[in-house]
Amino acid sequence: MPELAYLNGKIMPIEKAFVPIEDRGYQFGDAVYEYIAAHSGKLFRMDDHLERLEQSMRALSFPPVPRQTIVQAVTDLFAASQMERAGIYIQISRGVAPREHAFSNRKPVQIVMTAKSLPDAHPHAQNGAAVITLEDFRWSRCDIKTVQILPNTLAKQKAVDKGVYDAIFISEKGVIREATSSNVFIIKDGKAVTPPLTPNILPGITRKVIFEICKNETIPFEERSFTTPELYDADEVFLSGTVTEILPIVSIDEKPVADGKVGPLTGKLYRELRRREKGEPS
Ligand SMILES: Cc1ncc(COP(=O)(O)O)c(C=O)c1O
């Protein structure tokens, strides 16, 4: 299937889409983004993603873009891609302007999207992955989904260089935050626990869906802070995200999580998430 791009109202092959060099997203990272996945030909939780996109835009005082404009563009791009399982990346920058730090919010924004196919399942979904922990060195507004994720890329590279899948950011005091592109959950004594929403983590859509699954399946869950010893001592650990889905973590900082195998609740939550993604009744 061809990889497609959407650029300010037009759909084209990805290699034909260019943005001007004075786009503020390029020069200042002055842009927000979203990533929506489609499974079995259906876009999953589009409203939640667009709600968060609008929140990010408001947080940065971007001029508003009508929701319908984005919905139409995403739907058209996805239809044109003819893909069943795809990732739609949406990036909205504050637009093109001479390079000055201060901005005018009267300039039209620049909207860019791409559609690419997604593999049928995450490569580590079955057997789980290993992670390291790393002190968080990002800014204090990680709840806004801006394209300024250089620290996340550096942390991910550090993990890859150490031969593991990802890094979990922890605060100076050892409080668990999130991974480089996912939220973090632990399971202890049958209960799912994840850090509460603060400006230090992204309010994940998958995290929200997991709460809904827990309610439906009567799995107890709690949003509360926890630190590294509790992470190491968990019965099960997993990451959650649109691309990550539910990813079992079987080793942290070279120590196995419990017996080092994928745990039963993680497996159950994964299966339930996949059912919902495919639009099967819960
Ligand atoms: C830093 C970070 N945390 C968490 C998530 C998970 O969010 P979602 O479940 O909405 O994909 C992401 C996804 O991109 C992310 O980049």
Side-chain angles (χ1 to χ4, degrees):
M1 294 298 167
E3 290 187 337
L4 294 178
Y6 167 100
L7 179 60
N8 295 328
K10 291 203 183 74
I11 294 174
M12 59 194 83
I14 210 161
E15 64 278 5
K16 294 259 156 60
F18 296 97
V19 292
I21 60 168
E22 287 201 311
D23 182 302
R24 288 184 62 96
Y26 177 65
Q27 292 191 322
F28 294 107
D30 192 356
V32 296
Y33 78 104
E34 266 304 323
Y35 186 91
I36 306 177
H39 312 270
S40 306
K42 291 188 205 82
L43 291 153
F44 187 58
R45 306 297 289 241
M46 174 145 74
D47 284 347
D48 285 310
H49 284 281
L50 297 186
E51 180 66 43
R52 186 172 64 188
L53 182 67
E54 288 162 4
Q55 264 169 31
S56 299
M57 290 176 70
R58 276 196 298 273
L60 300 184
S61 308
F62 273 36
V65 176
R67 169 94 55 114
Q68 193 46 35
T69 305
I70 310 286
V71 169
Q72 197 60 54
V74 170
T75 312
D76 290 350
L77 180 66
F78 179 52
S81 78
Q82 297 179 300
M83 291 170 192
E84 282 284 295
R85 195 166 147 89
I88 308 289
Y89 175 81
I90 309 168
Q91 179 171 320
I92 303 186
S93 81
R94 204 186 303 269
V96 181
R99 190 184 178 283
E100 276 168 28
H101 286 54
F103 51 82
S104 147
N105 66 0
R106 286 182 299 276
K107 284 247 171 234
V109 294
Q110 174 137 267
I111 306 175
V112 175
M113 300 184 194
T114 60
K116 296 191 181 192
S117 69
L118 273 179
D120 280 345
H122 193 284
H124 294 294
Q126 208 64 29
N127 299 322
V131 295
I132 51 170
T133 58
L134 202 64
E135 192 174 315
D136 202 348
F137 57 106
R138 301 172 301 164
W139 76 327
S140 55
R141 290 304 309 271
C142 294
D143 56 322
I144 310 172
K145 203 163 166 64
T146 82
V147 300
Q148 300 207 82
I149 48 173
L150 183 60
N152 304 48
T153 71
L154 295 175
K156 176 80 180 188
Q157 188 59 43
K158 194 161 199 168
V160 170
D161 289 345
K162 289 202 162 182
V164 299
Y165 172 72
D166 204 359
I168 292 179
F169 288 118
I170 57 172
S171 77
E172 215 183 337
K173 295 190 173 132
V175 176
I176 307 305
R177 289 187 170 159
E178 61 181 345
T180 65
S181 58
S182 317
N183 293 111
V184 177
F185 281 76
I186 59 170
I187 307 261
K188 189 67 185 174
D189 300 327
K191 184 192 260 190
V193 184
T194 194
L197 294 183
T198 66
N200 295 312
I201 70 167
L202 189 78
I205 308 302
T206 320
R207 176 186 184 275
K208 182 175 161 185
V209 177
I210 291 168
F211 292 166
E212 292 170 14
I213 297 173
C214 285
K215 275 187 200 143
N216 216 45
E217 301 297 313
T218 55
I219 299 168
F221 68 94
E222 194 180 2
E223 293 174 82
R224 71 165 167 82
S225 299
F226 57 92
T227 54
T228 330
E230 221 181 314
L231 178 73
Y232 291 152
D233 193 41
D235 298 332
E236 302 178 36
V237 176
F238 64 86
L239 305 184
S240 74
T242 300
V243 178
T244 323
E245 300 187 300
I246 286 179
L247 186 71
I249 298 304
V250 292
S251 161
I252 303 172
D253 294 334
E254 295 180 13
K255 293 182 270 290
V257 174
D259 62 0
K261 301 211 177 74
V262 176
L265 269 180
T266 304
K268 183 179 169 71
L269 289 168
Y270 176 70
R271 286 188 297 278
E272 289 298 325
L273 174 66
R274 295 280 294 197
R275 270 156 42 83
R276 280 166 177 75
E277 286 173 349
K278 289 178 185 156
E280 293 171 11
S282 49

